[in-house]
Amino acid sequence: MGCGTDGRRKRTTLLGTDTLSNRMELPVYLIGYMASGKTTIGKLLAEKLDWPFVDLDDAFAELYGYTTGEYIRQYGLEAFRKKEKACVEMLSELPIQKVIYATGGGYPCWEDNMECLKELGTSFYLRWTPEQLTKRLFLSGIEHRPVAKRGMLSAEGVTDEEKMLHFVRRHLAERTEYYEQAHYIIDAPEELHESNDATMAEQLFQLIKRL
């Protein structure tokens, strides 16, 4: 499958008086597992850069009139992935390219989506350990995360946290090969703290300024 309307897309590069060099391809895509902070970190980064931020799950809902969960329940996962890909490609054709996009956690892992993201812009993987992600999932709540809820119910363990950790380890291992194809990897701090997202947003900001 191609990227964009004809399988090719002219990449937009920051030039001239911008703080970024001519190696920075736009837009920016943040990828990572559930609870990796794509939305929170993306908003903080967008504020620092004074660029728009778009959560692709929200964009999907606006385009198609269904939340991602509603669409999957109504039409199935395969149909959802096709629509999700079309959504990303449509947005990539917009004339405004100084944008921070947060993708869904499973988006990079379907067909050639990761290759497409790398063609369409610059991708950053927000990397956390399974233990960190498990704690963040419980802190943020799993009520709105059907994948996490189903995974926990089918996983091994005595406590809910043990079951979630078992599921996250297995599920993340399946996705890591896709995530690690990103142009850049941003590792989370070792210790969990409420300032972690702000720290990673600053790391991204400093990295992007150097590119």
Side-chain angles (χ1 to χ4, degrees), residues 94-113:
L94 295 176
I96 300 173
Q97 291 298 311
K98 291 183 180 180
V99 183
I100 308 296
Y101 289 109
T103 72
Y107 179 81
C109 312
W110 190 71
E111 293 190 344
D112 65 343
N113 282 358

Side-chain angles (χ1 to χ4, degrees), residues 30-34 38 55-57 68 80-81 84 88 101-109 117 175 179:
L30 303 183
I31 69 170
Y33 196 69
M34 294 181 290
K38 298 182 293 293
D55 184 306
L56 288 169
D57 285 348
T68 57
F80 164 70
R81 291 299 182 202
E84 183 183 41
V88 171
Y101 289 109
T103 72
Y107 179 81
C109 312
L117 287 185
R175 293 182 169 187
Y179 292 155

Side-chain angles (χ1 to χ4, degrees), residues 9 12 26-27 89-99 101:
R9 181 177 179 277
T12 304
L26 296 174
E89 292 178 351
M90 280 190 282
L91 291 171
S92 76
E93 299 298 328
L94 295 176
I96 300 173
Q97 291 298 311
K98 291 183 180 180
V99 183
Y101 289 109

Side-chain angles (χ1 to χ4, degrees), residues 17-68:
T17 59
D18 268 296
T19 58
L20 311 185
S21 78
N22 61 4
R23 291 179 294 166
M24 181 69 189
E25 306 292 349
L26 296 174
V28 165
Y29 295 98
L30 303 183
I31 69 170
Y33 196 69
M34 294 181 290
S36 62
K38 298 182 293 293
T39 297
T40 303
I41 293 169
K43 288 178 178 178
L44 291 170
L45 177 61
E47 184 176 342
K48 290 174 180 290
L49 291 167
D50 196 24
W51 294 0
F53 168 79
V54 176
D55 184 306
L56 288 169
D57 285 348
D58 292 342
F60 182 97
E62 287 203 22
L63 277 171
Y64 302 119
Y66 293 87
T67 67
T68 57

